[in-house]
Amino acid sequence: METTRNLVLTAWMAEHGHSSNTLADAVNQAIGDLTGRLGGLDGSSVRDWKAGRVRWPKSATRAALTKVTGLSATALGFVPRGRAASAPAPPQEDPVNRRSFLTATAATTALPLPVTAAPHRVGASDVTRLRGKFADVVAGDHQHGGIRGIETRALDLSAEAVDLQGRGSTSQRVRSQLYAVAAAFTSSAMWAAIDGRRFDAARHHHERAASLAAMSGDQTIQFRIWSHAGSLYRHMGRPSDALAANDVARALPVTRRDPLFAALGHARHAAIHGLTGSRSAVERTIGHAQDAADRADPHTHRPVWMTAVCDQAELAELALSAYLSLGDFERAEAQAHRSLTLLRPSMQRDRALVTARLAQAQLGQGEVEPAMATAMGVPLNVVRHPRVAGILAAFGSGLREFAPHSSHTRAWTQYQREVLT
């Protein structure tokens, strides 16, 4: 069947500065706000709308589009099933009424349980419930990476943890745990912003997370926050600040009590040292990281974010980053293969990052054909992740510099134009 391009949506996106990817992120976030579960759209979904291949999105998507744009689906150029594209659109619903309805619906679903005569007691069950939601946020990060929806969801849950303390009486222990959970959610928002290369937002989240963590007294979440700060400054190309922030994490007593925390701190230090060009520091800290990991007791109880991220695959991935920064491409390739072998299936974002870096390591050794195959093997559902896209863009630049007139370079340029943009 012949399709008709949705010129109205295309024009709205151009007017408001949206790419296919940013509109998909915004709609995913709005779906999460309306339903409690993030949407699964990506840039290709929006391109299908623009091309007319999808003329009438699902109801939840239409409501989310209205939330993002302030316009009904028909006003955005979508055509209800069973109606020709030229048929007149029904009268547009008053956007004010629509927003009021959405607000009222959200408020209704969030109403507390009827108040009983006895005062509400905020207890351990509330903390357990929030920790379950935190585990979902961590799992979403591993699958999708730094999309705005994860950042917003984490901030909303952090606010819920803080606000809960004003809804009833609680013990000091539970109060501290609620501050720790709020700090954990905010640190996830911080990491989502780092992962999405929204560095100003990440610095703002760091300030809030550090404050909440200090009130909680929980050293494990303080470690995560300052370790993330080290990663933030590393991605910003500020190794001195990165080393200082990561030193705060490494100096916490939890790194002496649990060698696995020490291992992660050393491994992230190695990645930072790679930016300084200090081979001896990289080798030393990688060795410290492995020694600490070998001493760690696998049966020790640890926070969900720690058990989800810190393993031998993560240590190899950070060593890969360090060796790439040093230009030691042979060792970088070895660490990339090791990480890919050990990565858990759920770590989709990390697998894409390691694969893209493996392509860089192969190209650095002059292995153009294997490097091309590796780079093109990055799964299409994650090639537009900001960090993955940045690595692949750097790969393309390196390829053009290494072999500007080769057939491989022409093939990559075509692939980049047709698939990556």
Side-chain angles (χ1 to χ4, degrees):
M1 182 180 70
E2 184 178 356
T3 60
T4 303
R5 291 187 61 82
N6 188 335
L7 301 180
V8 177
L9 176 65
T10 302
W12 184 92
M13 290 173 60
E15 180 183 352
H16 292 81
H18 269 294
S19 67
S20 296
N21 291 327
T22 61
L23 181 58
D25 283 349
V27 174
N28 283 336
Q29 177 181 327
I31 291 173
D33 293 341
L34 293 170
T35 68
R37 184 182 295 274
L38 288 174
L41 304 171
D42 57 19
S44 63
S45 305
V46 178
R47 286 189 288 276
D48 285 341
W49 299 342
K50 292 164 63 178
R53 289 187 289 271
V54 174
R55 300 171 65 197
W56 192 241
K58 295 179 180 179
S59 58
T61 304
R62 297 198 305 272
L65 275 165
T66 297
K67 183 177 176 67
V68 170
T69 66
L71 299 171
S72 68
T74 52
L76 287 169
F78 292 104
V79 181
R81 293 184 181 86
R83 185 186 306 151
S86 58
Q92 183 178 336
E93 184 176 337
D94 184 351
V96 174
N97 291 339
R98 175 62 176 172
R99 285 193 295 272
S100 299
F101 170 76
L102 290 173
T103 303
T105 302
T108 300
T109 59
L111 283 175
L113 294 172
V115 178
T116 61
H120 179 65
R121 178 77 175 174
V122 179
S125 61
D126 297 291
V127 175
T128 300
R129 175 178 58 82
L130 287 169
R131 284 174 175 167
K133 293 183 178 182
F134 178 65
D136 292 339
V137 169
V138 172
D141 169 70
H142 291 162
Q143 184 173 3
H144 302 293
I147 63 174
R148 290 183 185 273
I150 292 176
E151 181 182 355
T152 302
R153 174 71 170 155
L155 291 175
D156 288 344
L157 288 168
S158 176
E160 180 181 338
V162 173
D163 292 345
L164 194 61
Q165 302 186 50
R167 299 181 189 172
S169 60
T170 186
S171 67
Q172 181 58 45
R173 181 171 178 271
V174 170
R175 189 177 302 280
S176 296
Q177 290 175 337
L178 288 171
Y179 277 125
V181 172
F185 280 124
T186 309
S187 69
S188 284
M190 177 188 175
W191 178 249
I194 294 170
D195 205 28
R197 305 190 71 79
R198 300 182 292 275
F199 297 141
D200 286 343
R203 283 185 290 186
H204 174 75
H205 299 330
H206 172 251
E207 293 176 3
R208 176 63 172 161
S211 175
L212 290 167
M215 288 188 283
S216 76
D218 187 325
Q219 290 184 11
T220 62
I221 195 57
Q222 290 178 39
F223 176 93
R224 187 188 198 213
I225 290 162
W226 283 102
S227 184
H228 279 350
S231 297
L232 167 63
Y233 290 119
R234 173 165 64 91
H235 287 296
M236 294 176 69
R238 293 165 53 177
S240 295
D241 291 334
L243 290 170
N246 201 52
D247 271 337
V248 175
R250 298 200 307 161
L252 289 165
V254 67
T255 63
R256 295 188 290 275
R257 293 199 307 268
D258 188 344
L260 196 62
F261 282 85
L264 183 56
H266 288 312
R268 286 180 171 167
H269 231 53
I272 300 167
H273 278 307
L275 293 181
T276 70
S278 176
R279 179 178 295 275
S280 61
V282 167
E283 295 285 1
R284 183 176 64 254
T285 47
I286 287 176
H288 290 332
Q290 191 57 59
D291 289 344
D294 291 341
R295 296 196 313 272
D297 182 356
H299 303 296
T300 297
H301 175 74
R302 298 180 177 96
V304 63
W305 62 264
M306 188 64 169
T307 57
V309 71
C310 190
D311 55 16
Q312 291 292 339
E314 173 75 0
L315 301 187
E317 183 176 348
L318 288 164
L320 161 62
S321 295
Y323 285 125
L324 271 182
S325 297
L326 290 176
D328 189 337
F329 299 115
E330 185 175 350
R331 290 191 179 186
E333 181 178 7
Q335 293 291 346
H337 286 300
R338 181 167 180 258
S339 183
L340 288 172
T341 300
L342 297 171
L343 273 171
R344 285 165 279 182
S346 61
M347 309 290 275
Q348 295 182 28
R349 184 266 321 279
D350 284 60
R351 185 170 296 278
L353 287 168
V354 173
T355 302
R357 287 177 177 142
L358 172 59
Q360 285 185 308
Q362 292 170 327
L363 181 63
Q365 298 173 77
E367 301 172 358
V368 176
E369 192 167 341
M372 283 274 294
T374 299
M376 289 183 177
V378 175
L380 296 181
N381 64 323
V382 285
V383 293
R384 294 182 182 85
H385 179 281
R387 277 205 288 157
V388 176
I391 295 170
L392 291 177
F395 171 83
S397 298
L399 179 62
R400 284 186 285 273
E401 182 178 348
F402 181 78
H405 305 298
S406 74
S407 59
H408 295 297
T409 302
R410 289 193 296 272
W412 177 260
T413 300
Q414 181 179 358
Y415 177 80
Q416 194 170 30
R417 182 173 59 252
E418 294 179 354
V419 177
L420 303 184
T421 58

